[in-house]
């Protein structure tokens, strides 16, 4: 039960971050240079928060790996590898956002939004797998 509550908290944070990013991605692209920098900083901050949530989930899995063996351990290792891959995708999105220019900002926002949706989808699948794993135990 404790595991489900922990992941529910992480999920709520994640969904909030995604909502903010979606708002940025859908906003009009006509802004001056300082507005662009502000938008970039806000998106990077949101991506960093998502990355922090994934790091927390990885830490939680590592804690569980220390006390579980056999099939549970293999499932946790797979989940950890999946989350680390998602974290790399977020790091790429952060770099892409930081390097965006006025000319490519609309495309970057769209690509970052797509990447965040993909990360969120994978994150939810991993979370569901772990919840199922511990509800069976």
């Amino acid at each position: 039960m404790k595991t489900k509550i922990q992941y529910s908290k992480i999920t709520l944070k994640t969904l909030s971050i995604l909502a903010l990013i979606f708002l940025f991605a859908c906003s009009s692209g006509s802004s001056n240079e300082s507005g662009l920098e502000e938008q970039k900083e806000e998106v990077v901050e949101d991506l960093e928060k998502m990355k922090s949530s994934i790091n927390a989930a990885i830490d939680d899995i590592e804690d569980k790996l220390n006390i579980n063996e056999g099939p549970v351990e293999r499932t946790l290792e797979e989940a950890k590898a999946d989350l680390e891959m998602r974290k790399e995708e977020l790091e790429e999105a952060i770099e892409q956002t930081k390097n965006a220019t006025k000319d490519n900002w609309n495309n970057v926002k769209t690509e970052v939004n797509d990447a965040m949706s993909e990360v969120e989808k994978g994150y939810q699948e991993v979370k569901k797998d772990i919840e199922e794993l511990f509800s069976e135990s």
Side-chain angles (χ1 to χ4, degrees):
M1 180 62 88
K2 191 174 189 179
T3 303
K4 289 182 183 182
I5 293 171
Q6 290 171 341
Y7 285 108
S8 296
K9 288 179 185 177
I10 292 172
T11 302
L12 291 175
K13 289 179 189 176
T14 303
L15 292 175
S16 298
I17 292 168
L18 282 175
L20 288 172
I21 291 174
F22 182 74
L23 287 173
F24 288 121
C26 294
S27 66
S28 65
S30 57
S31 62
N32 59 28
E33 194 65 34
S34 65
L36 171 65
E37 290 303 315
E38 257 181 49
Q39 286 183 18
K40 286 170 49 174
E41 287 174 17
E42 289 174 6
V43 171
V44 168
E45 183 179 316
D46 292 338
L47 290 166
E48 291 285 355
K49 286 178 185 176
M50 176 83 174
K51 184 176 148 187
S52 177
S53 294
I54 288 178
N55 279 333
I58 289 170
D59 290 343
D60 187 46
I61 288 173
E62 287 174 344
D63 289 343
K64 287 176 178 44
L65 277 168
N66 291 330
I67 58 174
N68 292 287
E69 296 178 0
V72 172
E73 181 180 26
R74 283 189 294 279
T75 302
L76 290 172
E77 287 173 348
E78 290 170 4
K80 180 181 171 192
D82 192 333
L83 288 174
E84 287 174 343
M85 180 189 70
R86 309 259 174 230
K87 185 173 91 171
E88 288 176 17
E89 291 173 11
L90 286 173
E91 289 169 351
E92 290 173 14
I94 290 168
E95 277 305 306
Q96 187 178 17
T97 302
K98 286 180 178 178
N99 295 324
T101 64
K102 184 178 177 181
D103 295 333
N104 71 355
W105 179 237
N106 287 332
N107 289 336
V108 168
K109 285 192 300 185
T110 301
E111 289 176 19
V112 167
N113 189 45
D114 291 345
M116 286 298 297
S117 295
E118 188 69 27
V119 167
E120 175 63 18
K121 180 182 173 187
Y123 177 71
Q124 291 300 326
E125 290 172 8
V126 168
K127 183 182 80 96
K128 181 183 170 199
D129 290 345
I130 291 173
E131 286 174 354
E132 287 175 2
L133 179 67
F134 283 95
S135 68
E136 293 171 0
S137 300

